[in-house]
Amino acid sequence: MNTNEQGSNKNNKWMWIGLGAAALLCCCAVIVAVLVFRQMGKTIQEGVKTDPASASKAAHEIVDYTLPEGYQEQMTMNFMIYTFVMITPTSNATNEPIIMLAQFQAGVDEKQMEQQIRQSFEQQSGRRGMTLELKEVKQMTIRGEERQVAIYEGTDSNGTSMRQLVTSFPGKNGTAMLIVMGSPSNWDDDKIDKFIESIQ
């Protein structure tokens, strides 16, 4: 065997070793990705609870408050960067406003957070494509601080009228946000204001 053939065999040998190592690295990366996504899916699944006791516990870890009459905490979602709780009427009245409380970690953009909560609500309620316009901004005291409370009105993709109240304030463990959504015809300002004023 001449020197050229030996060099060629050596090069081929190293090429196959390199390809084998690359294939092994790819396999490892795929396995790690599968395990990471499986764990993330498991974490998200474990973070969603639909029993009132768990939802109430999660809500009171955000803030303390007095529930409006006829309302109950129903569901909580914990997505690592934020916790989200849905408080709904206990009756089957679908047009009664729904209350959502959320708390998110420092550094999370409030506008992005508000958008995510709105999207979560739309997915849960089936109300998609809502177009809302700012109608009023009022000052309210929440947890001892003066805060702006914004009220929006508009329609969803089915033409159903909606009203939305949005405000943020310091929660027990980070910035908290309150969103109330419902039909203007079933909107009770006194009940909603009383709930906001009860937040401690």
Side-chain angles (χ1 to χ4, degrees):
M1 186 181 288
N2 64 36
T3 308
N4 286 341
E5 286 176 343
Q6 285 177 344
S8 178
N9 286 338
K10 242 184 207 179
N11 288 341
N12 285 342
K13 177 182 168 185
W14 286 112
M15 184 182 75
W16 285 111
I17 290 171
L19 286 172
L24 183 63
L25 281 172
C26 286
C27 287
C28 288
V30 168
I31 290 167
V32 167
V34 167
L35 292 174
V36 166
F37 283 116
R38 183 182 291 169
Q39 186 59 41
M40 281 176 64
K42 187 178 175 186
T43 301
I44 289 169
Q45 191 175 23
E46 288 172 356
V48 177
K49 292 185 170 52
T50 55
D51 62 290
S54 295
S56 177
K57 182 175 183 288
H60 284 280
E61 286 173 359
I62 299 171
V63 286
D64 291 319
Y65 52 85
T66 302
L67 273 174
E69 187 178 346
Y71 277 74
Q72 178 66 59
E73 300 91 345
Q74 296 291 348
M75 180 179 71
T76 179
M77 291 182 277
N78 188 334
F79 290 115
M80 292 172 279
I81 61 165
Y82 76 95
T83 301
F84 166 85
V85 178
M86 190 175 288
I87 303 169
T88 64
T90 51
S91 69
N92 292 328
T94 55
N95 287 331
E96 288 291 318
I98 291 172
I99 299 168
M100 290 160 283
L101 270 174
Q103 183 167 267
F104 45 100
Q105 294 175 359
V108 176
D109 183 84
E110 285 189 32
K111 288 292 177 192
Q112 288 179 347
M113 189 67 233
E114 183 182 328
Q115 186 62 32
Q116 285 183 4
I117 293 170
R118 282 180 174 175
Q119 286 172 353
S120 293
F121 169 76
E122 288 180 25
Q123 288 168 1
Q124 294 298 321
S125 66
R127 297 184 185 277
R128 296 184 183 274
M130 283 188 284
T131 304
L132 297 166
E133 292 181 14
L134 182 64
K135 294 294 180 183
E136 180 188 354
V137 177
K138 58 185 180 180
Q139 295 290 123
M140 293 189 75
T141 304
I142 307 174
R143 302 196 82 210
E145 289 191 15
E146 283 292 306
R147 308 298 293 188
Q148 287 192 335
V149 178
I151 296 170
Y152 299 84
E153 282 190 15
T155 57
D156 64 15
S157 56
N158 297 320
T160 306
S161 295
M162 291 292 294
R163 182 175 290 168
Q164 182 184 83
L165 177 150
V166 180
T167 188
S168 63
F169 49 89
K172 289 182 179 179
N173 299 298
T175 302
M177 183 171 284
L178 170 70
I179 297 180
V180 182
M181 296 185 79
S183 167
S185 60
N186 289 67
W187 195 270
D188 187 334
D189 281 314
D190 289 340
K191 182 185 275 192
I192 293 166
D193 287 353
K194 193 173 177 182
F195 171 71
I196 294 170
E197 288 161 2
S198 79
I199 294 172
Q200 300 173 15

